Amino acid sequence: MPSRSRTGAAPPARARVRERVEASDALLFLYLLVFARQFLWVVENNALAWALSVPLAAAAWYLYVRTKPFARERAGREFWLLVVAPLVFVYLLRLPFPDLSYDVLNYRLLHAERSLRGTLFMAGDYFPTPAPYNPAPDTLTGLFRLALGYRLGTVVNLLALVWAARVCEQLLRPFVTRARVRAACVLLVVLAEHLLFEVNEYMVDLLALPLLLEATRLALRADEAESKRGLLTHAALLVGLGMGLKMTNAASVLPVVLLCAYKALAGPRRLRLKELPATVALTAAAFALPLVPFTVYLWRLTGNPFFPLANTFFKSAYWPTDGGWDARWGPKGLWETLAWPVLVSFEPARHSELVVYSGRITLGFVVAICGVVLLRRNPRVLTLCLLVVVGGLAWSAGGMGYSRYGLYLELLSGVTIVAVVSTLLKMKAARKDSSEVKATRTGFTWRIAVAAVFAVALSAQAGLAFWYTLHYEWSMRPTAISNFGAFKYEARFLLRDRRLRDFLSEDARAQLGGLRGWVESGVKSNGVEALINPEVPIITASHPEYFATRTARANFIKTIEAGPAQMLSLVQPEDLWQAKEYIKSRGLTVGRVTPLQVPFFSQRRSVGMMLIAVSLPEGEEGRATLERFWKAAAFPDTDYRAEIKVANPPAALRPGERLELRFRVRNAGGSTWPARGDSKGAFQVNAGDRWLDSAGARVVNDLDGRTSLAEDLRPGEEVELSLTVTAPQAPGDYVLELDMVHEGVTFFRQKGSQTWRTHVRVAQ
């Protein structure tokens, strides 16, 4: 029993917690737990680290709940019957069929298995994942899978969506007073197909939605709080957690951050000047706290705290510096970017791989613009509309306009549509005299018509979204409606599917008996590898981005030479040829290839794969193979820097005349320039010249002359060289350019190095 004061009342702190704690806070504790675990990655003992993470998360959770700015608002039975029940129905439709979607098998399961045991990378790894993003959301799904089995592990997505729906219900309270009508409106809000496509999959996009929506709700109510600083700190923590779960939530975060900034700096209860420094410090710390462990980890591992994003700036040696967004998705050009929230409904093939879209964001964006015009004197509605407009443009410009990066906007659009419709229906013009009656009635009727159009459009969109939900999702699994027999068979494995190895045949276990390490050579396989044995290292042979530089390849070779001599690789049968090419191109040897059937938590849902034996090359030829692979790589871009000074620059030459240039060159980069390459002359650094026309544009001769280094040139050293150049045969004005070249890899100028140039007159 809780302790009591002399008056019999509960202590104030406990009473404050009791009046603020909500059912959703249980899920929030697990969110805090996975981030607390990242702070304890420094603890090598995994069991001890988790044991310490629990009280750390509990302390953070208690502090958060105790300092909530508002008491809880209970949801009535209408919410549970009209909103939660349909969501549970959708969740159950495909539940017994194990999730086999692309991202799940490609890296999500690996992230979960690794982060449940420690850091994302383990000793002996070389980039085991194609997308080394923060594994926090996968840790969360992994905890549920560990407790409930593979099929029911996805229940965390359902809980997150219910939590998000609960926040939507709270957002709609000022607009819809009747509980039953409000619950029906919330149901319309959550009926967006790209939300429901993920509800029983190991995709993680739903997990941040309640955090971002709750931050939005707090920001909207900032002027009502006793402590605006405390409220903004809570909102900042929620936004930081959302960003920690998925960095692409940045587009969703922007409008919330702008609203918080406005509430702090403007309005009737804006912060005083002397309060700003402490508020900025607290909110910045709350926002950054969930992001710190993994960004520091990535920075130490790769040299880029946001790897592989923003590598043009950070220039990690493990990723190209010229990468960007996937060009398949979203708008192209400024005008499409501005129009994309509307255009997206007419370009579903550029919205997602599923090529279906019912148009929630389009509808919300159009209604929000109308709301800005029609309801600009209603601050609450106007703010919601501006959030949707700004959020739509941010999603278009910064979120690629891609489906899974706009789920927050889908829900916020639904809330805004309901708010606009409700406000239009409630508006009544004041009637002062008979001369104004006709105008008043006309205005009222017009608003009713607009509200009716918006309401019908939302209902139609929700209906189409539900139809899409019955026919599509990322795994394209059947439903209980389309195949009840299979549904009934697969349901028998619920709570009995914790280990994939339990479903393997004796022959399959024998084939995997000598496993010491995995070689990743294809897509949709490392999830299976991680489930079969998550405690052995994985070395990638595919994903060319991780082999773009010499530094990367040198570390790859160091890793494989320190690892087991014999490894295995799993690959989809259709990718076998490409997998062999990848393995051989990394200097490794392809051995025996045998088919392997992997019953994916069900004997009726086997994944047919090919098991490849992989080994290190042996003998002198093997070492030469690895050396060739290492030397064939580029330096980091910033290491292609040369300073060239010519002692005898020519001003005029005769057609075809040969001249020996004498010059000094300094290695201004950070890598040693090799003087020797392979037997064909590739991969060494030489000096070379070419002739351009007088404007310096058209190349007349790109391979005029070459001269090599006498010995390797280390960073900061310089050497004197000579090079014979041959003037063009045709008279005219030319530009002679001198540059260094990494043979078979790149010219230095292509990586940003300054060349030496001089104008030369060629005449008889």
Side-chain angles (χ1 to χ4, degrees):
M1 295 290 292
S3 60
R4 299 273 176 175
S5 66
R6 293 181 180 179
T7 62
R14 294 186 182 181
R16 187 175 177 85
V17 170
R18 281 201 296 270
E19 71 179 12
R20 280 161 171 73
V21 70
E22 301 176 81
S24 58
D25 290 327
L27 188 56
L28 177 64
F29 170 76
L30 295 178
Y31 281 57
L32 295 172
L33 177 62
V34 299
F35 284 101
R37 177 65 183 90
Q38 292 188 355
F39 276 97
L40 292 169
W41 275 347
V42 293
V43 179
E44 293 186 5
N45 186 295
N46 188 47
L48 176 61
W50 278 109
L52 295 174
S53 299
V54 172
L56 181 61
W61 179 88
Y62 180 81
L63 179 62
Y64 175 87
V65 173
R66 180 180 173 180
T67 56
K68 276 186 178 182
F70 306 112
R72 67 173 175 266
E73 299 172 343
R74 295 184 181 277
R77 68 180 67 179
E78 297 87 356
F79 174 80
W80 299 101
L81 291 175
L82 295 179
V83 179
V84 177
L87 290 179
V88 171
F89 170 76
V90 173
Y91 177 75
L92 294 175
L93 274 176
R94 296 180 173 90
L95 174 64
F97 301 106
D99 179 17
L100 289 164
S101 49
Y102 184 94
D103 284 4
V104 172
L105 294 184
N106 202 33
Y107 62 93
R108 288 292 173 200
L109 293 175
L110 172 70
H111 287 195
E113 294 301 319
R114 287 297 179 78
S115 58
L116 287 173
R117 293 165 174 79
T119 56
L120 183 59
F121 290 10
M122 63 183 293
D125 278 344
Y126 184 78
F127 289 95
T129 168
Y133 304 138
N134 195 323
D138 302 299
T139 314
L140 188 61
T141 61
L143 288 172
F144 277 82
R145 186 170 69 252
L146 190 66
L148 302 174
Y150 190 84
R151 290 167 172 82
L152 279 169
T154 57
V155 75
V156 63
N157 278 336
L158 174 64
L159 297 177
L161 190 54
V162 170
W163 182 7
R166 179 73 181 94
V167 181
C168 290
E169 191 267 347
Q170 292 171 307
L171 287 170
L172 288 177
R173 287 194 172 205
F175 305 102
V176 185
T177 55
R178 295 180 60 185
R180 186 175 301 175
V181 177
R182 186 168 62 247
C185 291
V186 174
L187 178 61
L188 290 178
V189 169
V190 299
L191 285 181
E193 72 278 10
H194 283 279
L195 293 165
L196 303 181
F197 285 163
E198 298 190 33
V199 71
N200 53 15
E201 294 190 337
Y202 282 101
M203 309 287 272
V204 301
D205 306 277
L206 299 180
L207 299 178
L209 293 183
L211 303 173
L212 301 180
L213 287 166
E214 179 64 14
T216 305
R217 187 179 76 90
L218 291 178
L220 289 168
R221 298 186 63 185
D223 293 330
E224 305 172 30
E226 294 180 5
S227 170
K228 184 172 285 190
R229 177 189 300 171
L231 180 144
L232 294 175
T233 303
H234 275 73
L237 176 63
L238 293 168
V239 167
L241 290 169
M243 287 280 288
L245 290 171
K246 200 170 177 68
M247 286 297 292
T248 49
N249 285 325
S252 301
V253 161
L254 177 62
V256 183
V257 172
L258 292 176
L259 178 58
C260 288
Y262 173 79
K263 292 289 187 178
L265 301 175
R269 295 194 58 201
R270 61 181 177 273
L271 294 172
R272 291 173 294 178
L273 186 61
K274 65 180 183 180
E275 296 178 295
L276 285 177
T279 302
V280 170
L282 277 173
T283 54
F287 172 79
L289 200 61
L291 305 176
V292 166
F294 189 69
T295 53
V296 171
Y297 174 76
L298 267 187
W299 176 70
R300 295 182 63 185
L301 191 71
T302 68
N304 179 350
F306 306 109
F307 184 88
L309 304 176
N311 207 45
T312 301
F313 177 79
F314 290 103
K315 301 186 185 305
S316 168
Y318 298 102
W319 194 265
T321 57
D322 56 354
W325 291 117
D326 192 331
R328 293 176 296 170
W329 315 120
K332 296 175 175 61
L334 175 62
W335 293 112
E336 276 200 8
T337 299
L338 295 175
W340 187 248
V342 175
L343 185 62
V344 61
S345 293
F346 304 95
E347 296 282 356
R350 289 160 59 188
H351 180 239
S352 80
E353 295 90 334
L354 294 175
V355 199
V356 291
Y357 189 49
S358 64
R360 167 64 64 81
I361 291 176
T362 298
L363 180 59
F365 193 78
V366 171
V367 171
I369 292 175
C370 294
V372 170
V373 175
L374 300 175
L375 305 173
R376 58 187 178 276
R377 295 183 180 179
N378 186 316
R380 192 183 294 270
V381 179
L382 178 62
T383 303
L384 277 174
C385 292
L386 290 175
L387 283 173
V388 171
V389 172
V390 174
L393 295 176
W395 169 68
S396 177
M400 297 193 332
Y402 179 61
S403 63
R404 293 191 289 111
Y405 304 157
L407 300 186
Y408 163 80
L409 192 59
E410 300 250 328
L411 285 173
L412 190 62
S413 293
V415 169
T416 302
I417 295 167
V418 173
V420 169
V421 169
S422 174
T423 304
L424 286 172
L425 292 176
K426 291 178 180 179
M427 290 182 67
K428 293 183 179 180
R431 302 181 182 185
K432 296 183 178 179
D433 54 61
S434 60
S435 64
E436 296 180 353
V437 172
K438 183 177 180 180
T440 299
R441 288 176 177 173
T442 302
F444 181 71
T445 303
W446 177 78
R447 291 187 179 94
I448 291 289
V450 171
V453 169
F454 291 163
V456 170
L458 177 61
S459 301
Q461 176 272 318
L464 179 59
F466 185 71
W467 186 88
Y468 282 150
T469 300
L470 295 177
H471 295 84
Y472 298 89
E473 53 107 48
W474 290 98
S475 275
M476 293 306 292
R477 296 169 291 177
T479 67
I481 299 171
S482 64
N483 193 339
F484 183 74
F487 181 94
K488 182 178 178 182
Y489 171 82
E490 297 292 346
R492 71 179 65 185
F493 298 110
L494 291 171
L495 296 173
R496 299 166 55 194
D497 53 354
R498 287 179 172 81
R499 296 202 319 161
L500 183 62
R501 291 186 65 90
D502 294 341
F503 290 82
L504 296 178
S505 66
E506 291 298 328
D507 289 342
R509 294 180 191 180
Q511 288 177 274
L512 298 166
L515 178 64
R516 297 293 181 270
W518 292 111
V519 172
E520 184 57 38
S521 61
V523 298
K524 295 178 64 177
S525 57
N526 71 22
V528 178
E529 293 166 352
L531 290 176
I532 289 175
N533 190 338
E535 298 181 352
V536 298
I538 297 178
I539 294 172
T540 190
S542 54
H543 310 302
E545 295 87 352
Y546 296 127
F547 300 94
T549 69
R550 283 195 165 200
T551 300
R553 294 194 185 194
N555 282 335
F556 169 79
I557 292 172
K558 180 180 177 181
T559 301
I560 62 173
E561 288 181 338
Q566 302 290 328
M567 294 171 284
L568 296 174
S569 181
L570 277 176
V571 68
Q572 303 286 330
E574 61 270 22
D575 298 327
L576 178 60
W577 177 85
Q578 181 65 74
K580 289 182 177 180
E581 291 300 310
Y582 275 137
I583 293 169
K584 290 187 288 186
S585 70
R586 310 308 177 206
L588 302 175
T589 301
V590 175
R592 184 181 178 185
V593 179
T594 55
L596 179 70
Q597 288 295 320
V598 181
F600 203 78
F601 299 103
S602 169
Q603 300 303 324
R604 290 188 181 180
R605 293 183 69 82
S606 288
V607 179
M609 307 194 79
M610 306 303 292
L611 186 65
I612 308 171
V614 182
S615 59
L616 290 175
E618 299 178 352
E620 292 295 327
E621 179 58 31
R623 283 190 290 273
T625 299
L626 293 177
E627 184 177 5
R628 284 194 299 271
F629 171 68
W630 174 73
K631 287 184 175 181
F635 306 133
D637 286 3
T638 53
D639 287 354
Y640 286 101
R641 297 294 182 268
E643 295 176 359
I644 303 171
K645 297 179 181 179
V646 177
N648 60 331
L653 293 171
R654 295 186 302 276
E657 182 180 355
R658 295 166 64 84
L659 172 71
E660 183 177 330
L661 286 180
R662 299 187 304 278
F663 60 96
R664 297 188 68 82
V665 60
R666 177 176 176 271
N667 182 349
S671 295
T672 297
W673 297 351
R676 298 289 180 270
D678 65 6
S679 59
K680 298 180 181 179
F683 316 131
Q684 66 194 50
V685 171
N686 294 332
D689 76 287
R690 65 174 181 166
W691 293 88
L692 313 176
D693 66 9
S694 58
R698 181 171 56 87
V699 176
V700 175
N701 188 352
D702 196 34
L703 296 170
D704 181 37
R706 288 285 195 275
T707 190
S708 60
L709 302 170
E711 58 185 19
D712 293 351
L713 193 65
R714 292 187 291 272
E717 293 183 343
E718 63 179 52
V719 64
E720 187 169 333
L721 298 172
S722 63
L723 171 68
T724 300
V725 301
T726 304
Q729 294 293 335
D733 293 324
Y734 293 91
V735 174
L736 174 61
E737 181 180 68
L738 193 59
D739 191 15
M740 304 304 291
V741 55
H742 193 183
E743 300 290 356
V745 181
T746 185
F747 287 94
F748 278 39
R749 65 176 179 269
Q750 294 172 328
K751 299 296 185 179
S753 182
Q754 292 294 316
T755 60
W756 175 86
R757 287 184 175 188
T758 189
H759 289 272
V760 179
R761 176 69 175 174
V762 176
Q764 292 290 350

